[in-house]
Amino acid sequence: MPTGLHPGAPSRPALPGKPAASRLAGLIASLLLCACGLGDAGSSATAAAKLKAQEAEQARAAQAGIASQLDAAQQQAGQRQKDIEAATR
């Protein structure tokens, strides 16, 4: 099976303690980078949630305004109906 090394090339001699330390340093670096990414994702999610909450509050305010306008229009229509009935008597 080809290993990607040149045929007959000597393998690297293992230095005592170096491979484990090197792997540990790589693992720590990877974990730190992942933690930074998770922090960014968390802050992005928080910002998105705040934006959605703000949008929901604006929608509730708009709904309350529309309901108020609808009530006023219904009262006005009822008053007009009473005025028409009074005028036709």
Side-chain angles (χ1 to χ4, degrees):
M1 275 192 297
T3 60
L5 296 175
H6 297 292
S11 62
R12 295 175 114 185
L15 298 175
K18 286 291 184 180
S22 176
R23 277 186 252 139
L24 181 60
L27 177 64
I28 290 172
S30 295
L31 290 175
L32 288 175
L33 289 174
C34 287
C36 291
L38 290 176
D40 289 344
S43 64
S44 294
T46 301
K50 286 180 181 179
L51 181 62
K52 289 293 182 187
Q54 185 180 15
E55 289 174 356
E57 181 59 36
Q58 289 173 349
R60 281 191 288 275
Q63 183 180 14
I66 290 170
S68 175
Q69 290 174 354
L70 182 60
D71 287 343
Q74 287 175 339
Q75 288 177 359
Q76 193 176 34
Q79 186 60 44
R80 284 184 189 154
Q81 184 67 30
K82 287 180 185 178
D83 291 346
I84 291 171
E85 288 174 1
T88 57
R89 287 187 196 169

